[in-house]
Amino acid sequence: DGIFVGDHYHKIVLSRIIKNVYTLKPAGLAVIGVDAGKIGSQYLDNSEDDVDMFVVDRDGLIITASNRSWIGKRDLDLPYFADSDPKLNLEQRLESTADHKQWIVSHLQSETTGWYVVVVHSKRQLVKELGQISQVTVTIAFLCLAVSLMVTWLAAASITKPLKKLSRSMRRFQTGDFTQRVFFEGNDEIGLLGHGYNLMVQRIKSLINDVYASKLKQQEAELKTLQAQIRPHFLYNTLNTICWEAEKKGDKEIADMVYSLSQVFRLSLNDGRDTFTLEQEVELVKNYLFLQKNRFRERFEFEITLDESIKDFTVPKLLLQPLAENAVIHGIEPLAGSGLISIRAFRKDRTIVLEVQDNGVGITPERLQELHQRLARGSSISEEEENAGRSGFALSNVQERLALFFAGASLQVESVEGAGTRIIIHITVEGP
């Protein structure tokens, strides 16, 4: 009791015997006194309101506490343990008061000293804190709801606004306004939709213009066809009248020429049809060559051979006549002597072969190579080139019509300069 004379504070006193290191006999006593209040102020004074903390030993003596008036008292002297049974040990009393109706008592025992650190929470304060937490939670939820509504509205507006714009443009487009266009920024789905809509409007406008132009051309063609149907009858009747008059006057040559000319016109028009039988095509060529022979006054002869088995085979109209015309103009006309034009149509296995051959001036190797290249590429020669004396125009025209009418049909050109030219057409047919 005499230690720290005059010091009235509560102390935690620790003592230990000091022994001689040589004899191991007690040589003295080390005593350390620690102010309990100092420990409380250092470790326990930071506790919150309505929260009490204290340290109690195994016997229930309060060593230090957040409330310094408790130091040195027994745990049973505190209001938290007033209802506890004194016969119970300290740990049992702590357990019995852990879930009081007014507070919550929690504790932890030190493995070194065996002392207990006890924390007492007021349930009222906890409920108050929970209420504050709920208020904060509600406030945060309200703010989140407001932000989410705003974000949703902005997102919806970014989608619906372009769609409304597109809808208004489509309504104007339905009324026939083909100048409609929509312009959306970005490359997202809305932007791609606007781009596709613009392409669709442009394409529909082009198609309508094409249909309109096609309809005009169709009406023009119908008008021309109607005119063409009227004119041939007048032409046939006139030519027949001239032919009869020539017959009456005994001019057989003129009558034959007029008759051949009438046949050429009749077969060429063919009542507006685009196809011939080979028999009709050969008849047209025969009449054409007859007229040309009279024109050139015995400058050439011609012979035509048609296989009877293929006379009813259907071909595009004017298939052989342009080739015969080429033979006359480009082969026989420049020839100094007498020429010969031979036309053959026969069948070889599953191929129909059409040949137009002359013994005229032929084609130069350079010009022949150019013709082969043009025909291989499928490119035609302009009418200006044809009018200038080049034969490729008719050949390209015949080749194009063959390709449209027959799959796999071919046209070949063989020529030797100074010896003549031969045009060969191969048409593959089905059946025996």
Side-chain angles (χ1 to χ4, degrees), residues 106-155:
S106 57
H107 64 277
L108 181 65
Q109 187 178 20
S110 171
E111 296 180 355
T112 304
T113 62
W115 297 349
Y116 291 89
V117 178
V118 183
V119 181
V120 182
H121 289 270
S122 171
K123 286 188 175 181
R124 181 181 61 185
Q125 181 66 21
L126 290 177
V127 171
K128 181 180 179 181
E129 292 177 357
L130 289 176
Q132 294 175 349
I133 293 174
S134 64
Q135 291 178 358
V136 173
T137 303
V138 171
T139 302
I140 294 175
F142 178 77
L143 291 175
C144 291
L145 178 62
V147 171
S148 63
L149 288 176
M150 183 172 294
V151 171
T152 303
W153 181 80
L154 291 175

Side-chain angles (χ1 to χ4, degrees), residues 150-405:
M150 183 172 294
V151 171
T152 303
W153 181 80
L154 291 175
S158 66
I159 296 174
T160 57
K161 186 177 179 180
L163 292 180
K164 289 180 180 178
K165 183 178 179 181
L166 178 61
S167 178
R168 289 193 297 268
S169 178
M170 292 179 69
R171 285 195 293 268
R172 296 191 188 100
F173 175 63
Q174 289 173 356
T175 62
D177 184 2
F178 295 101
T179 63
Q180 285 299 308
R181 298 290 188 277
V182 292
F183 299 97
F184 299 146
E185 296 181 356
N187 295 322
D188 56 0
E189 288 79 2
I190 300 297
L192 294 176
L193 179 62
H195 180 67
Y197 171 75
N198 292 338
L199 290 179
M200 180 192 71
V201 173
Q202 183 178 358
R203 182 58 178 163
I204 291 177
K205 182 180 179 181
S206 300
L207 290 175
I208 290 178
N209 290 337
D210 292 343
V211 171
Y212 181 70
S214 177
K215 193 171 183 65
L216 289 179
K217 290 181 179 179
Q218 182 180 359
Q219 292 176 349
E220 183 180 354
E222 290 175 354
L223 180 60
K224 289 182 178 180
T225 302
L226 181 60
Q227 293 173 348
Q229 289 175 349
I230 296 173
R231 291 173 183 170
H233 292 289
F234 172 75
L235 180 63
Y236 299 154
N237 293 334
T238 302
L239 291 175
N240 287 333
T241 301
I242 296 173
C243 181
W244 295 333
E245 289 296 327
E247 288 274 0
K248 287 180 182 179
K249 294 181 179 181
D251 198 334
K252 183 74 167 56
E253 183 179 354
I254 294 178
D256 290 342
M257 290 178 64
V258 172
Y259 176 77
S260 295
L261 180 60
S262 174
Q263 289 296 94
V264 168
F265 281 125
R266 180 181 65 83
L267 291 169
S268 298
L269 295 173
N270 196 26
D271 294 330
R273 293 190 294 270
D274 295 328
T275 58
F276 267 168
T277 63
L278 277 177
E279 185 177 24
Q280 291 173 307
E281 183 72 25
V282 167
E283 183 181 357
L284 171 63
V285 173
K286 181 179 180 181
N287 285 281
Y288 170 78
L289 292 177
F290 175 78
L291 292 172
Q292 291 287 51
K293 180 180 178 182
N294 282 275
R295 173 191 171 195
F296 289 104
R297 296 298 176 184
E298 308 300 330
R299 287 277 303 279
F300 72 92
E301 298 290 336
F302 68 88
E303 58 183 24
I304 299 176
T305 304
L306 172 63
D307 191 341
E308 287 292 324
S309 63
I310 60 173
K311 67 178 183 177
D312 295 325
F313 184 74
T314 302
V315 295
K317 184 172 67 174
L318 301 178
L319 186 65
L320 294 176
Q321 188 275 335
L323 304 180
E325 184 175 353
N326 268 355
V328 173
I329 296 175
H330 303 290
I332 301 300
E333 186 174 355
L335 188 66
S338 178
L340 173 66
I341 296 176
S342 173
I343 298 176
R344 296 197 306 155
F346 59 92
R347 179 165 182 166
K348 185 177 181 181
D349 297 330
R350 293 189 176 183
T351 302
I352 291 178
V353 182
L354 307 177
E355 287 185 0
V356 178
Q357 185 173 0
D358 66 77
N359 63 345
V361 296
I363 304 174
T364 63
E366 296 79 9
R367 175 60 180 155
L368 183 62
Q369 183 179 4
E370 182 184 351
L371 279 176
H372 287 162
Q373 291 175 352
R374 286 180 179 270
L375 293 174
R377 293 195 305 265
S379 59
S380 61
I381 297 175
S382 65
E383 275 192 78
E384 289 75 10
E385 293 178 301
E386 167 64 11
N387 294 333
R390 312 190 74 171
S391 61
F393 182 80
L395 295 176
S396 299
N397 182 277
V398 170
Q399 180 178 257
E400 289 175 2
R401 292 190 294 123
L402 273 174
L404 291 173
F405 206 83

